[in-house]
Amino acid sequence: MKKIMIVEDDIKIAEYLSSYIKKYEYDVTVATNFTDIMGAFREVQPDLLLLDINLPSYDGYYWCRQIRKESICPVIFISARTGEMDQVMAIENGGDDFITKPFHPDIVMAKIRSQLRRAYGEYAVKNEERVLTQTGLSLYPERLELRYKNEVAQLTKKETDITESLLDRYPRIAGRQDLLAKLWDDEAFVDENTLNVNITRVRKKFQEIGIEDAVETVRGAGYRLRVTWGEENA
């Protein structure tokens, strides 16, 4: 059963959409805490998101940008805004489609089905999922997930790119300049501390799945993956 998440501050519209979509046997969650949409998103892990633009605290464009740092799930904006620029902004900020209010529910369902088919179904690219493994550790770049035994850590896109580079280069060093070039289009404008911050976050993600001291700093060169887990290190 595919999971649909609705982020809409008009309760009547949210409930109407929820009840209508559930008729088609989808698992629907309606967000209620508009200051922590990302927390709800991470908990639900939806297959598709219906997202309003006008929201309390931060608008839908902001939340879509945050989601795109962690997920490639389809995002359909639903808004009373009808201007062409609003639709351009929705796509530019990571949205996949745009529905204007008032809407017919059948149109919403048709667009939901279309996006789900493109992402997961008959129209989805049939390439096998990439998995990078090392001594029982598995990185799923397309899911933004790092797994070891029964533990799973959710990564951001940059954390995934760093971890992928470390696994690709193992047991060699992943150079600082190579990492900067992979993570940012123009590394000349990236503060030196920015990479350090992201490396620290990657180390914390390893710790989440019970792995300590896996990312070694090689002074003056870059970073190297150390296999500190597995039976041979027990």
Side-chain angles (χ1 to χ4, degrees):
M1 183 182 292
K2 294 297 184 185
K3 293 183 287 186
I4 312 295
M5 181 173 169
I6 300 172
V7 181
E8 165 65 68
D9 64 333
D10 186 315
I11 296 175
K12 290 184 178 179
I13 293 177
E15 290 180 347
Y16 174 67
L17 280 170
S18 177
S19 62
Y20 194 85
I21 295 170
K22 284 179 179 177
K23 292 179 182 178
Y24 294 87
E25 298 186 349
Y26 291 101
D27 182 1
V28 183
T29 299
V30 177
T32 55
N33 182 359
F34 297 102
T35 62
D36 188 23
I37 297 300
M38 288 308 300
F41 183 87
R42 292 178 184 125
E43 181 178 350
V44 174
Q45 290 291 305
D47 297 296
L48 182 142
L49 182 70
L50 294 176
L51 180 62
D52 192 12
I53 295 176
N54 294 324
L55 296 169
S57 300
Y58 298 98
D59 64 21
Y61 300 142
Y62 170 83
W63 290 119
C64 191
R65 291 195 302 273
Q66 302 313 303
I67 286 164
R68 282 293 172 255
K69 294 177 182 179
E70 301 186 10
S71 174
I72 57 173
C73 90
V75 176
I76 301 177
F77 279 94
I78 297 183
S79 177
R81 300 185 186 185
T82 58
E84 291 181 358
M85 187 51 63
D86 294 306
Q87 298 187 43
V88 170
M89 287 285 289
I91 302 301
E92 290 290 333
N93 281 278
D96 297 286
D97 207 338
F98 192 99
I99 300 172
T100 57
K101 300 174 184 177
F103 52 80
H104 194 286
D106 288 342
I107 296 295
V108 177
M109 285 308 311
K111 288 181 176 286
I112 287 174
R113 289 194 183 107
S114 174
Q115 290 299 329
L116 290 175
R117 284 197 301 269
R118 289 177 185 277
Y120 314 107
E122 60 194 275
Y123 301 146
V125 176
K126 299 301 182 182
N127 295 334
E128 288 188 10
E129 182 177 14
R130 288 192 307 124
V131 184
L132 286 78
T133 60
Q134 180 59 243
T135 320
L137 176 76
S138 299
L139 173 70
Y140 295 80
E142 287 138 18
R143 303 188 201 185
L144 307 181
E145 286 183 357
L146 185 65
R147 297 186 175 193
Y148 181 60
K149 295 184 177 178
N150 295 323
E151 300 298 325
V152 181
Q154 295 293 331
L155 309 178
T156 66
K157 183 64 170 65
K158 284 185 170 54
E159 290 165 358
T160 299
D161 289 341
I162 290 172
T163 306
E164 183 174 353
S165 293
L166 291 168
L167 284 164
D168 276 339
R169 297 289 296 173
Y170 178 81
R172 296 167 294 163
I173 295 169
R176 290 185 65 86
Q177 293 305 314
D178 292 335
L179 288 171
L180 287 168
K182 182 178 180 66
L183 292 160
W184 293 277
D185 292 334
D186 190 348
E187 67 271 22
F189 295 99
V190 178
D191 185 274
E192 183 74 8
N193 191 50
T194 303
L195 179 57
N196 297 339
V197 169
N198 280 275
I199 289 290
T200 298
R201 290 172 178 165
V202 168
R203 286 178 171 136
K204 289 180 179 178
K205 293 303 173 69
F206 273 90
Q207 290 169 356
E208 283 183 19
I209 57 175
I211 296 175
E212 299 286 344
D213 304 320
V215 181
E216 176 187 10
T217 300
V218 181
R219 192 176 299 277
Y223 302 91
R224 177 167 51 206
L225 186 69
R226 294 180 63 228
V227 178
T228 60
W229 63 95
E231 292 182 3
E232 68 275 23
N233 294 287

